[in-house]
Amino acid sequence: MKLGIDMGGMSIKMGLVNEENKIIGRITIPTDLTVPYQTLVERMADAVRQMLENAGMTLEQCGGIGIGSPGTIDAKQGVILYSNNFGWENVPIVEELKKQISVMAMLKLNRLHLHLTDNQGWRIAIDKYPQLVEYSAVQETYNEELYGPCYYTKEDIKELVAYAGRHHIEVIPEIEFPGHSLSVLVPFPELSCSGGPFKSEQVFGYEENVFCVGNDSVFAFMENVLTEIAELFPARYLHIGGDECVKRYWQTCPRCQALAQRLNLRPTPEHSVEEQLQSYAIKRMERFISGTLGKRMIGWEEILEGGLPEDATVMSWKGTECGAKAAATGHDVVMASMADGLYLCAAQGADEVEPAAMGGQSYLKDVYEFEPLPKELAPDKRKHVIGTQACLWSEWTTSGELLEYMLYPRTVALAETYSFGCDSFYCFYRRRRFG
């Protein structure tokens, strides 16, 4: 028995397909964006029971219901529910995040991606390494004054995860590796290639000092950290970062080059030796995440460099090209395309009238009309595009009011497009403005 689900317009069409691939029941559920997620689930469960009752069956008699593969709602296949992702960097007030989780549930968004570490700070307590928050959760301002420490305690995370769970939202943590790791190198300079000393960054941009992948202590550190992270977050996915790793020090680091020799790495037309070193490091962490922690690894599109771990999921952020490449080879992909307006820390209008932002524009119309399925992707590979994500990096949001100004209404546009299908931006705008 298969359940087909078609989420289009302002209703949900459902159908039951028996073992002979014949539709034995259909039902339509009216809905709109104000319906809470839990209410929607309850309505769908009632609809399934109603269809079974009309067919003279019970759930026990049919032995359970499976979800078919992606496609149209017909006798051959059902439609799986999407995996929609939504993310922003660390917002220090748990109550603020809980408020946004409530809105996410109303919009039927079901993933919250928390970016917890970067060059500028480490934002979560790790029992084995208290120095991380002691040294890297405290920032120095431009006038050399200190503020902080600003980080999540483990009790904060437990409270947040439990609240999200009650709203049927999964919280996915991100711990950056091997780049964007300066906040680790400040208290532990021995994990770098150069040896330090280091200070946390106070500005944006690339940082050349990254983890030394030729040092086994780096992997022991990451395994210890991820073990504690996995205990806090029951989510299926664990985000490893993997983006924007500057490899200059690896080129001259004796330990990194000795590792390259042991692995017999040689430059190829596609990948440098250092890109292959990153691939080695990412694959080694993936084996630990899947084999020991029992989770799936997800990373930004740069984890494609040098070769991708077999079961890794790719988050395509610069555009959709890397996502299409990964999906074509059978890897699951989340589209979070900055080029298509999904970075909500970009201005919504002209720079002259907008708050300070990262640069560039992300117009409401761009977000609403974003197409996550690349045209060049073969039909049988489109199932690997499992969701979209809007990203908001909170260094641009200095208050809860500004956070919401950047999030909405663009998040509403993304949620409606992916949940119900896109008609026209004009119709969307009239619905949201005039009801």
Side-chain angles (χ1 to χ4, degrees), residues 374-401:
K375 294 180 180 178
E376 68 270 21
L377 192 59
D380 65 324
K381 299 297 184 181
R382 293 187 174 189
K383 63 185 178 182
H384 291 296
V385 180
I386 62 172
T388 58
Q389 170 167 302
C391 302
L392 198 158
W393 304 92
S394 66
E395 64 262 29
W396 297 104
T397 57
T398 55
S399 67
E401 291 78 8

Side-chain angles (χ1 to χ4, degrees), residues 160-181:
L160 188 64
V161 168
Y163 185 84
R166 292 195 294 272
H167 288 76
H168 304 276
I169 291 171
E170 192 173 60
V171 184
I172 298 173
E174 178 183 355
I175 304 296
E176 283 274 14
F177 174 85
H180 285 272
S181 49

Side-chain angles (χ1 to χ4, degrees), residues 87-92 115 123 152 204 345 391-399 402-403:
W88 60 79
E89 197 182 10
N90 175 52
V91 178
H115 183 85
R123 301 302 185 192
Y152 293 106
F204 314 134
C345 36
C391 302
L392 198 158
W393 304 92
S394 66
E395 64 262 29
W396 297 104
T397 57
T398 55
S399 67
L402 185 54
L403 173 73

Side-chain angles (χ1 to χ4, degrees), residues 310-421:
E310 183 177 349
D311 294 325
T313 298
V314 175
M315 192 165 278
S316 190
W317 69 273
K318 295 179 183 178
T320 59
E321 294 80 4
C322 283
K325 178 180 177 182
T329 58
H331 291 275
D332 286 347
V333 172
V334 175
M335 294 296 190
S337 175
M338 179 172 63
D340 294 286
L342 298 189
Y343 268 48
L344 305 186
C345 36
Q348 302 181 62
D351 291 335
E352 294 79 6
V353 296
E354 289 291 312
M358 74 172 192
Q361 271 66 39
S362 165
Y363 298 116
L364 180 63
K365 188 173 186 288
D366 295 335
V367 177
Y368 185 76
E369 294 180 345
F370 172 63
E371 173 50 65
L373 295 175
K375 294 180 180 178
E376 68 270 21
L377 192 59
D380 65 324
K381 299 297 184 181
R382 293 187 174 189
K383 63 185 178 182
H384 291 296
V385 180
I386 62 172
T388 58
Q389 170 167 302
C391 302
L392 198 158
W393 304 92
S394 66
E395 64 262 29
W396 297 104
T397 57
T398 55
S399 67
E401 291 78 8
L402 185 54
L403 173 73
E404 293 191 347
Y405 178 79
M406 301 300 278
L407 285 173
Y408 311 111
R410 290 178 292 182
T411 301
V412 178
L414 184 70
E416 179 166 323
T417 300
Y418 210 72
S419 295
F420 299 108

